Amino acid sequence: LAPSEQERMAKQWAGKSEAEIAAKHQGDVSHISGIRVLQQEAVDQDSMVMSVYIDGVDRMEKVSMKRVNNEWKFGGYIREPAQ
């Protein structure tokens, strides 16, 4: 995870046990069988936006990727605000 996403997740999971966090993440990814990158667009030298298709749950997502110490890290989902 990119540092900003690590910080966001730490706040989200504050007060939860490692077992609770692990169970939630296992449930979230248990049906995913693959991820296909359909499109990627450089925002700048150290960030990009990717459109991906998540196999197994059959869903499209737009994600942010950030380069940290020359490695690409997940920066979070990009979603429209709830109406």
Side-chain angles (χ1 to χ4, degrees):
L1 299 176
S4 60
E5 186 67 0
Q6 288 178 21
E7 184 178 318
R8 187 186 76 78
M9 293 302 291
K11 288 178 185 175
Q12 181 178 341
W13 293 109
K16 305 281 189 209
S17 71
E18 281 189 36
E20 288 174 300
I21 295 168
K24 169 69 170 121
H25 285 301
Q26 286 172 342
D28 288 349
V29 302
S30 65
H31 298 290
I32 294 174
S33 58
I35 296 176
R36 291 184 270 165
V37 176
L38 303 178
Q39 183 178 9
Q40 61 186 33
E41 178 183 341
V43 175
D44 58 39
Q45 184 176 353
D46 293 318
S47 60
M48 73 170 62
V49 172
M50 299 170 67
S51 294
V52 298
Y53 183 79
I54 304 173
D55 292 312
V57 293
D58 302 324
R59 142 176 128 229
M60 294 282 300
E61 290 286 357
K62 191 174 272 194
V63 298
S64 168
M65 299 296 290
K66 306 286 184 187
R67 188 189 328 247
V68 178
N69 297 324
N70 215 31
E71 292 182 349
W72 287 99
K73 306 286 184 176
F74 179 72
Y77 291 104
I78 301 170
R79 296 191 171 132
E80 298 295 321
Q83 304 262 333

